[in-house]
Amino acid sequence: MTLLDKSSGKKADGGSAAAGTKAAATTGGSTTAPPPPGPLRVLDSFFEISRRGSTLTREFRGGTVTFFTMAYIVILNPLIMGGFSAENAPLDVAGGWLPAAQVGAVTGLTAGVMTIAFGVVANLPFGLAAGLGINSFLAVSVIQDVTWPEAMGLVVINGLLIVLFGATGARTAIFRAVPKELKAAITVGIGLFIAFIGFVDSGFVTATTAGPPVVLGTNGSITAVPTLVFVAGLLLMGVLVARKVQGGLLIGIVATTLLAVMVEAVLRLGPGGADNPGGWHLNTPVLSGQAVSLPDLTLVGEFDLLGSFSRIGGLAAVMLVFTLVFTNFFDAMGTMTGLAKSSGLAHKDGTFPRLKPAFVIEGLGAVAGGATSGSSNTVYIDSAAGIGEGARTGLASVVTGVLFLGSMFFTPLTSVVPIEVAAAALVVVGAMMMAQIKEISFKKFSVALPAFLTIITMPLSYSIANGIGVGFISFAVINAACGRSRKVHPLMWVVAAGFVVYFARGPINALLGS
């Protein structure tokens, strides 16, 4: 693809998707391409495809790539929140649990509907699905005090508040108050974050019980065959992108998946685990006997909006909502910042087209996720893979959403792509997003340290919101102490104070409990 350097207006080489595009007038960092002939012109006009320097082919290809890099959530979300019996599922305070098949069905349904809505209304190539941070928080912490329906009621309240912030312009105001250096740092941090996710998901780096937090492979060596498949996919995709091959990421995903299928057919590695450390990390690349299954949507509407307030009290419930809102709000804001910049759609101040509708629809994703018991839906950083393939408009999101709806019926086919293959694409895209580091002036330490802390905290704490919070607090304090208080927008102080509470929520919850 050819991305625009927002500071100079020159094109920067970041891949192949837009190679050969005829540059014309620019709009928000995109170029204008010739519109298609005939009836496709209506589609082109609605999504502003040619105006953003893209083509129908690139949008369909980008949307497909985004789906394949996000499809793991249809498999992973049920494993985190549900189970096949009460013995292997997270139990709530009343002993209730969520059937894995039903969680998988609503995961695909909500992701499909909300991604299509986001594409049509916001016209941005971002996919939405159940957020991994929030679903883990629900399964590990929240249901220790409330039931699953009550927990989903809290998610709905969280979403309604985010919609309110988006509709009133409060979210946009906060977004505009963030200095451009921190916005660039957020993009770079996300790049490192998704690359680190790829390394972890593939087994390229693993945790240790003693010594350093992580090591290469197993005890410093790459011994697992699935990890070798990841390495092969990473090198293949890297070569294809470097050679500016059209559809390089998609070709790499398909080719590496075929390699994984052949490897599994010969070696019979099976699923990984404590008793099989050399197996595949999530889904095994093999077709089951049944390719099509009907989705069970029983969980739709199974939420209790206010039940948690009567069960654990108002203050405790408010703290849970506060945690959900902060995580949802700033994870999504950071993700959209990074994606807009990597797609060349961001303006010089870091904003992007249809900012307010994007915030509102993303908030509705949280509402829909709670209402269907699939957890809060939010924008996925994995969308960067589709952007790397040339996606620039909401048509790509529509394609991704339709594929998610189809995944409800074709779960066996979706599970053929192993996480090791998707991980390779994430690492390649993470490298692309690192290009934004040139916008940060590291000569000014009052900027350099907050930017560095933002970048490094995201991968090391495994959280976009944590990185943003550390960056906000350090930027405000350092600049104020250096006599540059005017550089700190009043909203930055408000949000920084909120993050102080957010980071201290553990002791605060303990005090409320006592």
Side-chain angles (χ1 to χ4, degrees):
M1 67 182 164
T2 50
L3 301 183
L4 288 180
D5 182 331
K6 271 69 70 182
S7 61
S8 65
K10 297 179 181 179
K11 291 183 180 179
D13 182 17
S16 64
T21 298
K22 297 179 180 179
T26 62
T27 305
S30 357
T31 59
T32 302
L40 294 178
R41 189 171 298 231
V42 176
L43 193 65
D44 179 89
S45 176
F46 180 83
F47 286 105
E48 301 178 348
I49 297 172
S50 299
R51 188 181 177 195
R52 295 188 182 181
S54 186
T55 65
L56 290 170
T57 301
R58 290 176 193 147
E59 296 305 308
F60 276 96
R61 188 173 66 222
T64 302
V65 167
T66 294
F67 169 74
F68 278 115
T69 55
M70 289 178 62
Y72 66 86
I73 192 60
V74 180
I75 309 297
L76 185 56
N77 200 37
L79 296 179
I80 293 173
M81 295 178 53
F84 296 98
S85 66
E87 286 72 27
N88 61 13
L91 301 180
D92 62 28
V93 67
W97 58 285
L98 302 178
Q102 295 177 14
V103 175
V106 296
T107 299
L109 172 67
T110 312
V113 172
M114 294 313 305
T115 301
I116 291 172
F118 193 89
V120 172
V121 177
N123 195 23
L124 293 166
F126 306 167
L128 281 75
L132 285 176
I134 288 183
N135 62 4
S136 299
F137 176 58
L138 293 172
V140 174
S141 300
V142 177
I143 61 168
Q144 302 302 313
D145 300 314
V146 300
T147 66
W148 273 112
E150 290 165 354
M152 292 305 165
L154 292 174
V155 173
V156 172
I157 295 172
N158 147 70
L160 291 173
L161 290 173
I162 291 176
V163 170
L164 179 64
F165 294 145
T168 58
R171 199 172 186 184
T172 304
I174 293 173
F175 187 88
R176 292 180 184 276
V178 181
K180 63 182 181 65
E181 295 90 352
L182 281 188
K183 288 175 180 173
I186 289 169
T187 304
V188 176
I190 290 173
L192 289 179
F193 181 37
I194 64 175
F196 189 51
I197 289 174
F199 285 144
V200 171
D201 287 349
S202 64
F204 191 77
V205 297
T206 56
T208 62
T209 55
V214 294
V215 295
L216 180 72
T218 303
N219 297 322
S221 300
I222 304 297
T223 58
V225 175
T227 305
L228 291 175
V229 171
F230 156 79
V231 173
L234 174 61
L235 293 175
L236 174 60
M237 294 177 203
V239 169
L240 292 173
V241 171
R243 293 181 64 87
K244 300 179 174 62
V245 175
Q246 292 285 342
L249 283 178
L250 180 57
I251 293 170
I253 289 172
V254 173
T256 313
T257 299
L258 291 176
L259 172 63
V261 170
M262 290 187 288
V263 167
E264 175 61 23
V266 173
L267 300 180
R268 305 289 183 184
L269 300 174
D275 56 342
N276 185 25
W280 303 93
H281 285 83
L282 180 57
N283 41 320
T284 305
V286 61
L287 279 172
S288 64
Q290 184 182 11
V292 180
S293 59
L294 291 176
D296 183 349
L297 302 177
T298 307
L299 290 177
V300 174
E302 291 294 314
F303 68 96
D304 185 342
L305 190 63
L306 301 176
S308 58
F309 286 81
S310 59
R311 182 181 295 274
I312 61 176
L315 284 176
V318 166
M319 280 305 301
L320 289 176
V321 172
F322 177 83
T323 302
L324 289 170
V325 169
F326 251 69
T327 303
N328 222 143
F329 188 107
F330 288 101
D331 265 5
M333 192 185 82
T335 300
M336 285 193 270
T337 299
L339 293 177
K341 280 182 170 290
S342 66
S343 65
L345 295 174
H347 302 295
K348 288 184 178 180
D349 62 355
T351 61
F352 49 86
R354 303 195 189 185
L355 183 65
K356 189 172 181 179
F359 285 154
V360 171
I361 295 297
E362 193 275 333
L364 288 174
V367 176
T372 58
S373 295
S375 184
S376 174
N377 274 228
T378 187
V379 172
Y380 257 55
I381 53 178
D382 308 67
S383 308
I387 291 170
E389 275 299 334
R392 295 293 179 270
T393 76
L395 180 59
S397 295
V398 172
V399 172
T400 302
V402 169
L403 291 174
F404 262 120
L405 293 179
S407 72
M408 294 190 298
F409 301 92
F410 297 97
T411 301
L413 291 178
T414 303
S415 62
V416 172
V417 182
I419 193 68
E420 288 80 1
V421 174
L426 291 182
V427 174
V428 172
V429 173
M432 293 178 180
M433 297 179 73
M434 283 294 298
Q436 295 296 327
I437 200 168
K438 67 181 183 294
E439 297 188 13
I440 305 170
S441 176
F442 284 97
K443 294 180 179 179
K444 300 177 181 178
F445 202 69
S446 60
V447 171
L449 182 59
F452 172 76
L453 292 175
T454 299
I455 292 168
I456 202 67
T457 301
M458 287 187 190
L460 294 187
S461 69
Y462 230 63
S463 168
I464 294 172
N466 287 348
I468 294 174
V470 170
F472 276 34
I473 294 171
S474 60
F475 184 88
V477 172
I478 291 173
N479 279 276
C482 292
R484 289 187 285 269
S485 298
R486 292 183 179 180
K487 291 192 65 176
V488 185
H489 194 284
L491 282 176
M492 286 283 290
W493 284 110
V494 174
V495 175
F499 267 114
V500 170
V501 176
Y502 175 74
F503 290 141
R505 65 191 184 277
I508 292 173
N509 281 327
L511 287 174
L512 292 175
S514 63

